Amino acid sequence: MPGENVRYRSPVKVEYQGDFYEFCITDRRLIWYKRVGLIFKSDRVITESIGDVQGIKFIEKGILKKKGIIKITTTKKTLEFSGPRDAIIAVYKELQNYL
């Protein structure tokens, strides 16, 4: 959006609601972005206002292939997304800077 600055972009795509998205943090919102369609391309964008976030939590799963999970609690719902452990830890640390 105009006047909005991207502060962080995840190094890898994250899994959110059963699909893979690029994850970005702007100065105003959290954004999950995906380009869909083979011939007729369109964008799928999911956003959440940073001001609505009440808490974040990091969870680690797996023995050999570790998976990181972030749970974000907002005023209305809980969001959960995951990905490779190291990439998700980097996202979690970045989220802590903005919340």
Side-chain angles (χ1 to χ4, degrees):
M1 297 300 282
E4 195 168 2
N5 299 311
V6 175
R7 303 291 179 151
Y8 178 79
R9 174 175 268 167
S10 173
V12 298
K13 292 186 178 185
V14 299
E15 186 176 351
Y16 179 67
Q17 295 181 346
D19 219 342
F20 289 92
Y21 292 85
E22 291 182 39
F23 177 75
C24 300
I25 301 171
T26 70
D27 49 358
R28 297 181 191 166
R29 355 177 235 167
L30 307 174
I31 301 173
W32 289 265
Y33 169 81
K34 179 179 182 170
R35 188 110 168 126
V36 294
L38 295 173
I39 297 172
F40 300 104
K41 303 278 185 193
S42 63
D43 296 329
R44 184 176 299 157
V45 180
I46 301 167
T47 66
E48 192 66 43
S49 173
I50 286 180
D52 291 343
V53 175
Q54 293 181 329
I56 57 173
K57 182 178 182 181
F58 175 79
I59 302 167
E60 199 174 290
K61 286 190 178 177
I63 296 171
L64 296 176
K65 189 175 180 184
K66 300 241 181 208
K67 181 178 185 179
I69 300 168
I70 293 179
K71 290 186 178 186
I72 300 172
T73 306
T74 67
T75 54
K76 298 177 185 173
K77 57 189 167 195
T78 299
L79 309 166
E80 183 177 305
F81 64 98
S82 62
R85 179 188 169 272
D86 294 338
I88 295 299
I89 285 175
V91 171
Y92 179 72
K93 287 178 181 177
E94 229 18 75
L95 279 169
Q96 287 179 324
N97 292 333
Y98 296 105
L99 304 175

